[in-house]
Amino acid sequence: MLRTTFDDTTARPCSWTAKRPGPELITWKLDATALRALLDPDHQGIDRLRYQILDDGLWSTALNTGANVNLGPLVGLSTGDARVTYLIGDLVVITDWADAMASVGTLVRDIRSFVGNADPATLPHDNTFKRKRDALQQKLAGIVKSSKTRFDEPWGMVSLFWAAGSPQTAYAKAVTRDAIVERRAHPAIAAGTV
């Protein structure tokens, strides 16, 4: 289990909550960087290829190429090579996630604008707030339902963690038959000094 909570302070730095043009472009870069951090190009051949296409110099070309077999030649593979499916999958997952986070950002900004300096005690009884909150919940549920994320790679959580400025609320727990290991974010990592 890997969990990070986001309160108001930690959500503010998220690129998808910022009001600026093209948040999906920022998110694509962040998500590609997060996936690269999880790959092992020194020991896994497929990770070497995936890492290569996620490189800054090739990533924009990959985005322009789109999620199809023509990604293969960008890293020296033929369009018929079975390993191209990994490249296609990475591109689909990252661009879908980025688009989803950009659309969530619109709803988050709307709620934040509405809430403003409102008394939090009155919000649960405010029908407009309830509609906005429900719209955000439905949007998030729809994203989860239609997600193409490969859940064996925790890159989405890493992306959110970095997008929020590496909050100290990060927590991980690994459970095996013989041991349980729990870790919280190291303060230096959370502060961005490592």
Side-chain angles (χ1 to χ4, degrees):
M1 172 178 67
L2 181 62
R3 176 181 25 216
T4 299
T5 57
F6 297 92
D7 59 13
D8 189 57
T9 302
T10 55
R12 281 186 197 274
C14 289
S15 61
W16 44 268
T17 64
K19 189 175 184 178
R20 57 184 153 200
E24 63 280 347
L25 296 176
I26 296 161
T27 306
W28 285 341
K29 170 113 172 101
L30 187 65
D31 293 343
T33 302
L35 183 54
R36 278 185 14 194
L38 298 172
L39 297 175
D40 185 10
D42 293 335
H43 300 100
Q44 301 292 327
I46 191 60
D47 283 1
R48 215 172 356 268
L49 296 169
R50 294 169 72 196
Y51 194 90
Q52 187 179 344
I53 206 158
L54 294 168
D55 184 74
D56 290 341
L58 219 81
W59 182 238
S60 61
T61 303
L63 285 171
N64 289 332
T65 301
N68 62 66
V69 296
N70 293 315
L71 291 172
L74 297 178
V75 293
L77 298 176
S78 72
T79 57
D81 192 307
R83 295 173 291 179
V84 174
T85 60
Y86 285 94
L87 307 177
I88 293 169
D90 289 345
L91 191 68
V92 166
V93 167
I94 290 171
T95 56
D96 283 359
W97 183 260
D99 292 344
M101 290 300 98
S103 65
V104 165
T106 300
L107 295 173
V108 169
R109 285 189 303 275
D110 183 45
I111 289 174
R112 292 178 73 102
S113 175
F114 176 78
V115 169
N117 294 322
D119 178 0
T122 65
L123 291 175
H125 309 292
D126 186 298
N127 288 331
T128 303
F129 175 74
K130 288 179 189 177
R131 280 193 302 277
K132 291 177 182 296
R133 181 194 61 204
D134 291 346
L136 178 59
Q137 287 175 341
Q138 289 173 6
K139 181 67 168 179
L140 290 169
I143 289 168
V144 169
K145 184 177 180 180
S146 65
S147 176
K148 296 173 183 73
T149 300
R150 294 181 227 146
F151 290 100
D152 61 330
E153 295 177 347
W155 71 267
M157 184 62 71
V158 173
S159 292
L160 286 174
F161 178 73
W162 284 350
S166 306
Q168 292 188 23
T169 55
Y171 168 80
K173 182 176 185 177
V175 180
T176 67
R177 185 174 39 149
D178 301 321
I180 297 175
V181 178
E182 292 184 76
R183 295 286 185 263
R184 298 200 183 284
H186 185 280
I189 293 172
T193 59
V194 171

